[in-house]
Every structure is written in structure tokens, then in C-alpha cells.
Amino acid sequence: MKKFNFRKVLDGLTASSPGSGSSSASNSGGAGSGSVHPGGTAGVLREEIQESLTSEYFQICKTVRHGFPYQPTALAFDPVQKILAIGTRTGAIRILGRPGVDCYCQHESGAAVLQLQFLINEGALVSASSDDTLHLWNLRQKRPAILHSLKFNRERITYCHLPFQSKWLYVGTERGNTHIVNIESFILSGYVIMWNKAIELSTKTHPGPVVHLSDSPRDEGKLLIGYENGTVVFWDLKSKRAELRVYYDEAIHSIDWHHEGKQFMCSHSDGSLTLWNLKSPSRPFQTTVPHGKSQREGRKSESCKPILKVEYKTCRNSEPFIIFSGGLSYDKACRRPSLTIMHGKAITVLEMDHPIVEFLTLCETPYPNECQEPYAVAVLLEKDLILVDLTQTNFPIFENPYPMDIHESPVTCTAYFADCPPDLILVLYSIGVKHKKQGYSNKEWPVSGGAWNLGAQTYPEIIITGHADGSIKFWDASAMTLQMLYKLKTSKVFEKQKVGDGKQTCEIVEEDPFAVQMIYWCPESRIFCVSGVSAYVIIYKFSRQEITTEIVSLEVRLQCDVEDIITPEPETSPPFPDLSSQLPSSRSLSGSTNTVSSEGVTKDSIPCLSVKTRPVRMPPGYQADLVIQLVWVDGEPPQQITSLSISSAYGIVAFGNCTGLVVVDFIQKTVLLSMGTIDLYRSSDLYQRQPRSPRKNKQFIADNFCMRGLSNFYPDLTKRIRTSYQSLTELNDSPVPLELERCKSPTSGLATRTPEAAPGFYRNEMPAVRQRNQVHHLPDHVNGHCTSPTSQSCSSGKRLSSADVSKVNRWGPGRPPFRKAQSAACMEISLPVTTEEARENSYNRSRSSSISSIDKDSKEAVTALYFMESFARKNDSTVSPCLFVGTSLGMVLLISLNLPSSDEQRFTEPVMVLPSGTFLSLKGAVLTFSCMDRTGSLMQPPYEVWRDPNNTDENEKTWKRKLVMNYSTSPQETGDHQYTIICSEKQAKVFSLPSQTCLYVHNITETSFILQAEVVGMCNSACLACFCANGHIMIMSLPSLRPMLDANYLPLTDMRIARTFCFTNEGQALYLVSPTEIQRLTYSQEMCDNIQDMLGDLFTPIETPEAQNRGFLKGLFGGSGQTFDREELFGEATAGKASRSLAQHIPGPGSIEGVKGAAGGVMGELTRARIALDERGQRLGELEEKTAGMMTSAEAFSKHAHELMLKYKDKKWYQF
């Protein structure tokens, strides 16, 4: 355990100036260096803090993936193990079993999966990919690995077939040839069925690719080959010739056998089904067009859409099932994709919400020559997986236990909470289960294979996802599983939107006006807060009682004034162009939220959405307590919210955007503060400004909003961005260059010009608030930054004075004092800084000085907010409620909160909110805050203990607010000083409060920027976790900011990862890896070591069911399949070796690395040995039982033969 001392670097320092106390020196060293900085006094704190975390505690490892496999292409099912496999277009394979058994594996090539084939009850899987490669996966380990690969060089793979209990795989190709592969060695056999030998010699055309392969259920020595042009060949493997050929004038899509092996059914491109009998192959035994219109006799049935797949399954006690996809009539173009089930004379059409990719019929027996007895149909859709119950006449679907509906509406934000209060999951589930859909099948989910246990990780975890339709889902993520607990619909707070007549601009919000942008949840107090793209904030309180009440709403006017451009001296920098000629003509906004009307009426003081004014019934669960909306200002829509925080202990919610900051008391339902970001600096302004009268002419650029709807989530090259599911998936999966994102930064466009007003405190019934409001002056702005009084009126066109020029030169030639930056919460990419100015040296110049007029930034966004008991000012001796405010320019402001002393006064007396004048600075936009006490323990924000706000119990009426302050030590010890951790896009700093001394600085990155940062608890300590845009995950210890881990995990390929990546306690994190899937990972070494125990087993030893007794006559006349020896026919001794140039064998890493991953140490090896012994013992036991049965049968046969001999011993031949 290593000790770190806070010491000053230089001796003999004189007392620093008071102004330097709130700044940090720039001697931060290189990246990864921690430096001790002198404070405002000569004495520096000397205190020892023991840090227990070391680099051995950290390692990056993916744990589990949840959700629906993105872009599925293939489906397979093992009827004995009862596990399901899904292949995707990106080369991924998801294997599903019982709840908790969910495995993800990936082809290294990333080629699309064409087909999957289980080795039934063998613990193996064969995959065929679009790069013409076959792979053999070992499923007898928790992390499947490839054992062998076979790459075809000259032919394209189109179809594969693996007979039950066979080690020879039939592979059809695009050229029409059929090859045979040995599964054990993955070597190609010399036996090849060439297309020109399969068809008749008189045929002049190529039959096309192989679309079907299957051996006859009656005789394993016969292979049915289907070609695309309608030719079907029944091939005799022994004699190497075609026994019969079938021709049809329509293309074939699929074929399926009757279990007796005498008939087979084909589906065709004209929507017809043909049934063929092997005894009369000249024409089909039966031809039907299930969805075609009936025609007169002698006329051909009407053509329909192709039937892509058909399955023909028989039952013992009823008519066979004929199940197919497609085949609908062309005149029903609006019909949704459908699955048709024909059972006897009944035809049932099941319409699907998404196109059908593949379907499989689940049957009781794995033997193809037995009566199939189907009980379910697994239907793989483009965006869902459903199972249909065939045992009930109405064909209900099974309730899916997997989280396949994460993408029901596109995910826009996520939150992850580990080690939550243990009662939360049960409470949320009890509320959410009441709203579950009804009508599911009463039978259990049929995919029930594998084995799973809880493992050592037992603490509760909750994941929250926000969606584009305004819905919010709470998920139980404990023990590596994911199950939905509760769903909240925020759109029910608002009136339904009426579609406007015109859609000229800002159509983003019109597509998804309720899209969730940010969420903030306090699990202890159960206060939930959400902000949406339509510039609103909703505060929810949890209640177990149903109520009917009106929704309280507040409308806030938040604006930041922008004045005309001041032309600087020509020798310092070139003058700014006249923007008046470049700006569009004055337009007015009216009508719907995002339409521009031509009637000339300017929208003002109108919210984007309409809150319901009538009483609303609120079911148990989260109920809306307050709705806060930003309103339009002089024809300009409100800016999107970029930061959000709430304190249940203080009863205050704060949020900010590119314009300013809003603080609201949600207990008294009043606005405490509504102020532009620039005005927050006013208490320390060195250049006081005089009031200005507002301009008469206002112009704006509608396309220069800081955050335009969901464009921050889904960047596109066009102005119109639709957030429907289709557009989201298309946009999210195309990599977006960082250069493009930088070009799209809202601060890179023309300056937004807004009317001038006096932002400040809201005028409510609080005298102190009104008094503070009178102190402020009207600001003078240029491009969103305040100018000094030395600057003349903008209309006069005066230039900067020489004093101002000298101030500019202090920052370096031609450079603004503050670099161009934007909030990471906005998901926009900041422009890089080519020259690092020393703007951290001191803060003795004003943020609103005239030098800011050269800065082309239009707005300074509020990017981070944090409530905590801290020291608001430098001379404070005790902690008090504070609000930390971080901006996109790296500035940190502390706002003091003066709360009433008693509970009774809290509901009546006003809350005083005032900027304290304390400023800290960092490089880049501020991302996160946290505090530690003097012992180095992480301090949690105070909270109020939850109680049901609608409980009518008498005891609850007298119940007082119970606050938990979360002091790790006594308040007297904590009151001495504390340490504040602040992380921005570029660096992290540790300050000592109240002295405001910068103790440690760590430059995290110079060439990239941080997307997500969080101070998390781990192993009873704290650390800073960061995810960088270059894909690195970095962990730093606290408070020394020593690097513990720097792993190149995942490059930023699209903005989906940036907006959904989040860290949580206990070394866990997650992000949205695709539009439909959540990837969880861990950076804890302990969890990486125990990951094998937490994952489920895909393979469990199960005895293969015995085949049915065929009977004496069936065995005698049922064919010669039982005597067929594939090894003798396809082996090297008989068939010879295949050409080396045809296919290349590639050994897989599974035989070595897979064993290591599955074993996880000596205990794993012993477990595998024990399982192998158990399997061997079971097989020996089965062999012994079969031997005993054979002996008994032999004795019985001998006895009956002796009796028969005695019976006919003395009879003459003529007596028979």
C-alpha cells in the first residue's frame, strides 16, 4: 500500500495574490503527470492519504451482450440440447438457451453468416459465411471457439446440410456442384457430385446454384439436390448416378421431405407449392397456390409473391402442418410480411411487424424418418424473434424471456447503476408486472437448454434506457442477465401533436418531439428526472398509489444576448465580415413546434409542447410532479438541454444549455434562477459594462442551433434527419469521420443573433430575489461573449483600442483567449487547438473583457452540474449546500444555495441562489465532478429518504423529511476541508477546498478528447474512469490521479457509442454496440478472473433419444438406409483426396485457447475431467444395458426356436 503526500513544490514562496487562489497553474507536466500546486497562502496542506488501488486491480474484459442480434441472417436449433443460434450480417453468432444462457461469438473476418448447422447433441456448430468459409465451433465451453475452418477458393457456398448423427457435411455451391466435408478433420472428401453429371446430358442450360440438399428419410444413401432453375435430382450416392430427375418451370426456393421418404414438397417463385411422389416424377402429384385467386378449370392459377421457404411436418393424430413464408397476392401490396400455417383445411395467416428472415419448426424428435410432431415455430424477423405455439388452435406466441425489445424505439441515452438499494428491483417489478401484455401461450419458453447459476456477483444492478418515442425502460441487470422491470412513458404528460401543414425547417423535433435526451436518477430517494429534445424537464416521484391530478408546469424564458460585431484593428486581425448581408431575411416562426410560417407572426414565450391541463390519471409507479419547459424567444426555439442534475435533499433541480442555467425549486414549484452563462461571471467582472438598449431588427439563422433535435445523436450530411427506426439504423452504422463531426460543430457556423434583454433571476414573490435582480446590468455581447465598456456602440463601428490590443497580444498572436469547445453532452466534436495558450496561469482577466470579442464562439454551454455540501467561497469555514457548474470552455463556477433551516420553513420560505464568485478552470469542456473528504473517502451527495407522497396513513401525515448527508466521517472532521475532483475533455484536476488550491493535474489526452468520465467506487476506494474518443479506456486513482489503466478498447466509429457509454461502480460499464444491442464490459481484474463462473453453460450432457422401433415389415421393406456406410464411401481410401486448390484447411485456435478460456485454471480442468468421466460412465452404462437387452433377446429367440423345433419335429412334410 503506497502513501502519497500533498506537499508544495517550491520553498520560500511568498503569499500569492488573492486572485490566483481560484486558478490553477499550468505546470501540469506531460500527460500522465501529477503536479502539486501552491495555493493562495504560503502554507500548503500536509496530509497523508493512503491509496489502496494499484494497477493489478484493473483489466478490460467484455462480459455479456444483451438485446436482439443486429441484422440477422441465419437461424438454427438443436432439438436435443434445446438451444438456438442466430447469425448476423456482421459475422456475429448469438447462442441462446434458458434465461441466463446467452453467448456471443464473432467471426474474425466479419463476413455475413449464410447458414448455421448444429451437430445435434454433440456440442458443436457449423457456420457458413459469405467469404466462402466453413467454421466448426466448439460449444462445450462457456466461450465458444473455432476448432477448424475450411476456405473454398474457387466456388461460392450456397447451401449446407448435415444429416443427423453423421460426420459428413454436404456443401452445395453456386456452380451447382456438391462437395462433402469430414466434420472431425474438416478435410474435403474426393467425392464430388458435379452438376453436369447430375442433370441429363440433353439439358443445354446450367441448372443454377444448389438451393437445397437433404438425404432421404427412407434411405440415407440417396441425396435430394435442388437447383435454382426448378430441377430436382435424386442422387444415388453408392452408384454415383441420378436415380430420378424432376423438372418444373418455376424457380425453386426450398424443399422439405415427408417423414416417410416417399414424397417431398417444393416452394416456388410464383407463390405455388408442388408435392412430388417418387413413383411418378414426371409431374407434381399436387399443385396449389395457397393465396392465389381461384380460376376456372383449365386455367393457370394467378401468380403470387414467391414462397421463400416451406416446411412439411407430420403428426400422428392429426393432419400434417404446412408452414411457409411469403406467397401473398401481388394486389395486396400493403399487407405486412406473413407466416402461413396450413393445418388440414384451415389456413391461418400470421402477420408480422417486420420482414421474415428465417423460420424453423421445432419438433419432438431429431430423427427425420419419424413422425415429426411439431410443437412450435421459431420465426426470426429483421428486428424481433418470436415463437408460435402450434399446440393451440389460435396459435398464440410464447412470452420471450430475453430482452429482445431494447430497440422497440431507438435508444437515445443510457444510465447504469450498480449496487443499488436491494428493494428497488422488487418494487419496480411489482409495479411493472401489472402492465405486461396478455394473450401469451400458457406454456414455458421452449428454448430451455444450457445451465446457469447466479455466481459470486450478487449485488443488484439496474440499467435505464431512454428512447426516441419518450419511453423509459428500467432493466434488472443483476448477475449478467437483463430483464425489463418497468416502463415509463413521458409522452403521456403532453398533448398529442397535431401535424402542421408546412414542414420547412427544424423537422428534427417534429419526427420525435418526445425523444429522451438526458436522465438523472437518485435510487435512494427514488426521484427521477428526464429531459427531452423539445427543451423540457420532467420531475417524477415514485408512489404505490394511483392518483388523478393536474400536472404542474413552469415555463422558463432563457436567452443569451448577442450584439453586433466589433471590428478590431487591421494590424491585429482582419475585420469580421458584415454578416447582415449573409444572414437570411427576417422570418417568423409559428404553427407547430418546428415550422416556419409566412404570416409574419413571431413566436415568443411559447413552449415547444403543450402540457395536459385536464386532470390525468397516474397509475402506481413514477408520477409526474413538475414539468419545466423552455419557451421560444423572439422567434427562436429554445436550445437543447446539455446538463441536468437534481437534489432530493435540497428540493432543487438544475439544468443548462448553450444559453445559460436554470435552477428550479420543485418543492415550491418556483424558478429560482434563469441566467445566461456569461452573467454567472458578473460578480468578478473586472470590466463593468453599461446597459444597452435592445436592437429593433432581429435576425437569426435557424440552422445554427447548438443542438438541433436528434442530430446530436444521429449525424448526417443532410439537413433533414429522420429518427424513425430505419433511419437510425442506417445512420448509426455508417462510420462518421471525426472531421465531419468537427465541421458540423454548431460553433463553427455563423453567429446566432438574438435580441438583447436582461437575463437574471426570475421575479417571484421573494424580496431577496428581486433585490439581486436589480444589481445586474444589461450585458453587451459579441458572438455570445460580453464586451468591455471601452468598446463603443456596435452601430458606430468603432475599433478596438490599443489597450484592448495589448490584451489580445497577451494570449498570443491572432488567438482568442478561450479555445473553441462544445459540450460533450451535446455529442458534438470540439475543434482541436493547434496552439496551447497559457490560459490556466491565472484568472485575473474577465471572462467578459473586450478580448472575447475576437472569439468566434457563439455560446458557452453548461455541460456539467453537481449538488454537494461544499465550500462555496474561499473564506468559508463550514460546508454549505452548493451547486457546481461546469461549462464548455472549461470554467467551473460555484453557486451558493441558502436553504431554510427547518422543514416547515422549507415549504414556505424562499430559497436563496447566488453565484459565489468562485471560479476554477480546466482545458476542454467540463464533464464531471466529485468530492472526497479529508481522509480520501468518496463523498456522496445528500439525499432525502423516500416516502410515498400519496400515502394517506395518519402516521405519514406527520412524517418529517429525513435527510441523509452521507458523511464518511463526522461533520466536524469533514468541515475542515475537502477535495474536489473535476474532469474535462482534456484533463483532470484535484482541488482543495476552501483554499481552492490545485493539488494534482493530469493531462489525460492531447490529441483526442474524453467522451465520458465518471468517479466510481471500486474495492472500497475511488477512481476516475474515462472513455476517450480514440477508443482508450483510462483509469486513474484518487486523489493522486496516478494512471492505473490505459487500454485501447474500442475506437469511436459512430456517435451511438459516444452518447450511450457510461461507467458505474464495482468496475462495470456499458454502451450501445449496435442499434439493437447493449454490450457490457468490466475493468475489474477480479471480475475478469471470475467471468467463467458467471456465464452459462451452452452444453449439458443429455442422452440422445432412442429411435422408434420401425417394426419387422418396415425394416424389411423400408429401404437400405441402415446399412449405408458413409465412411467407406466418402473416405480417402475409396474417394481419394480432393484438389488442394479447391479448399484450404485452417486450424482454429479453439483447440488450445478455447480450452484455456473454458478452464480458467486447475479447477476448470478438474471440472472438465469430471464431466468427461460422467459422460464416459453414462455411455458405459448405456452399453451395458444394451448388451443385457441383446442377451435377453437372444435367449428368448433361442427358446422360441427350440419350441418351434419340438412342435414340428415329428410331422411329415405333407402335414404342413
Side-chain angles (χ1 to χ4, degrees), residues 1062-1083:
C1062 52
F1063 294 98
T1064 188
N1065 297 327
E1066 308 301 332
Q1068 297 202 65
L1070 65 81
Y1071 60 95
L1072 202 67
V1073 68
S1074 73
T1076 61
E1077 295 170 290
I1078 289 177
Q1079 177 66 59
R1080 293 167 66 180
L1081 62 136
T1082 179
Y1083 48 92

Side-chain angles (χ1 to χ4, degrees), residues 408-464:
E408 184 180 12
S409 175
V411 178
T412 55
C413 62
T414 58
Y416 192 8
F417 300 87
D419 204 6
C420 301
D423 60 333
L424 264 182
I425 293 180
L426 182 60
V427 169
L428 291 173
Y429 179 79
S430 62
I431 298 296
V433 73
K434 300 177 183 178
H435 305 285
K436 279 193 173 182
K437 296 179 181 179
Q438 305 298 325
Y440 292 109
S441 173
N442 54 9
K443 294 187 177 182
E444 294 184 358
W445 181 257
V447 184
S448 57
W452 176 78
N453 53 21
L454 288 175
Q457 180 184 343
T458 57
Y459 53 83
E461 300 174 72
I462 292 178
I463 294 175
I464 305 177

Side-chain angles (χ1 to χ4, degrees), residues 355-380:
I356 298 175
V357 176
E358 176 69 285
F359 75 89
L360 290 174
T361 306
L362 311 188
C363 302
E364 295 288 350
T365 176
Y367 295 94
N369 57 355
E370 296 180 358
C371 196
Q372 299 299 295
E373 293 294 336
Y375 60 89
V377 179
V379 187
L380 179 63

Side-chain angles (χ1 to χ4, degrees), residues 403-660:
M404 293 292 185
D405 57 346
I406 293 177
H407 61 285
E408 184 180 12
S409 175
V411 178
T412 55
C413 62
T414 58
Y416 192 8
F417 300 87
D419 204 6
C420 301
D423 60 333
L424 264 182
I425 293 180
L426 182 60
V427 169
L428 291 173
Y429 179 79
S430 62
I431 298 296
V433 73
K434 300 177 183 178
H435 305 285
K436 279 193 173 182
K437 296 179 181 179
Q438 305 298 325
Y440 292 109
S441 173
N442 54 9
K443 294 187 177 182
E444 294 184 358
W445 181 257
V447 184
S448 57
W452 176 78
N453 53 21
L454 288 175
Q457 180 184 343
T458 57
Y459 53 83
E461 300 174 72
I462 292 178
I463 294 175
I464 305 177
T465 56
H467 300 264
D469 63 351
S471 62
I472 296 172
K473 296 180 180 180
F474 292 77
W475 306 84
D476 177 13
S478 306
M480 295 295 174
T481 62
L482 194 68
Q483 180 183 7
M484 195 173 80
L485 299 172
Y486 174 69
K487 183 178 180 180
L488 174 66
K489 296 182 179 180
T490 62
S491 59
K492 291 186 176 181
V493 173
F494 304 99
E495 299 285 355
K496 293 183 178 179
Q497 292 284 50
K498 296 181 181 180
V499 180
D501 296 331
K503 295 183 180 180
Q504 299 180 15
T505 59
C506 305
E507 55 279 311
I508 298 170
V509 181
E510 229 174 78
E511 291 288 342
D512 287 303
F514 309 112
V516 178
Q517 187 175 3
M518 302 182 73
I519 52 181
Y520 192 95
W521 187 43
C522 178
E524 291 80 9
S525 63
R526 302 184 187 177
I527 291 287
F528 186 71
C529 191
V530 57
S531 69
V533 294
S534 297
Y536 64 82
V537 172
I538 309 176
I539 301 173
Y540 288 91
K541 291 185 177 180
F542 189 84
S543 175
R544 295 179 177 176
Q545 309 295 327
E546 179 179 327
I547 61 171
T548 301
T549 183
E550 293 185 358
I551 301 174
V552 182
S553 64
L554 292 176
E555 296 179 359
V556 181
R557 185 183 179 92
L558 183 62
Q559 67 183 94
C560 181
D561 302 328
V562 177
E563 264 291 356
D564 294 336
I565 307 301
I566 297 178
T567 305
E569 291 289 338
E571 57 269 23
T572 58
S573 60
F576 289 98
D578 184 11
L579 295 184
S580 60
S581 61
Q582 302 178 14
L583 295 176
S585 59
S586 178
R587 296 179 296 177
S588 302
L589 298 183
S590 63
S592 64
T593 303
N594 346 15
T595 58
V596 179
S597 70
S598 57
E599 297 178 1
V601 180
T602 302
K603 259 190 169 183
D604 188 64
S605 301
I606 299 174
C608 296
L609 301 174
S610 299
V611 179
K612 292 181 178 178
T613 56
R614 62 184 182 277
V616 179
R617 185 187 71 86
M618 299 182 184
Y622 274 104
Q623 301 167 350
D625 181 65
L626 177 64
V627 179
I628 309 167
Q629 291 182 284
L630 298 180
V631 297
W632 288 62
V633 178
D634 294 333
E636 294 189 12
Q639 304 288 346
Q640 305 278 313
I641 294 171
T642 58
S643 57
L644 176 67
S645 184
I646 191 170
S647 173
S648 59
Y650 304 154
I652 295 176
V653 61
F655 60 92
N657 60 7
C658 298
T659 305

Side-chain angles (χ1 to χ4, degrees), residues 655-667:
F655 60 92
N657 60 7
C658 298
T659 305
L661 174 67
V662 176
V663 181
V664 175
D665 182 352
F666 65 83
I667 294 181

Side-chain angles (χ1 to χ4, degrees), residues 634-698:
D634 294 333
E636 294 189 12
Q639 304 288 346
Q640 305 278 313
I641 294 171
T642 58
S643 57
L644 176 67
S645 184
I646 191 170
S647 173
S648 59
Y650 304 154
I652 295 176
V653 61
F655 60 92
N657 60 7
C658 298
T659 305
L661 174 67
V662 176
V663 181
V664 175
D665 182 352
F666 65 83
I667 294 181
Q668 299 185 28
K669 309 294 190 297
T670 57
V671 180
L672 303 178
L673 176 70
S674 176
M675 182 179 289
T677 312
I678 302 299
D679 297 283
L680 295 175
Y681 299 97
R682 183 160 310 191
S683 59
S684 64
D685 235 346
L686 300 182
Y687 305 95
Q688 297 298 326
R689 294 150 297 177
Q690 301 298 325
R692 292 285 184 90
S693 60
R695 300 189 308 271
K696 295 181 180 180
N697 297 327
K698 292 97 178 176

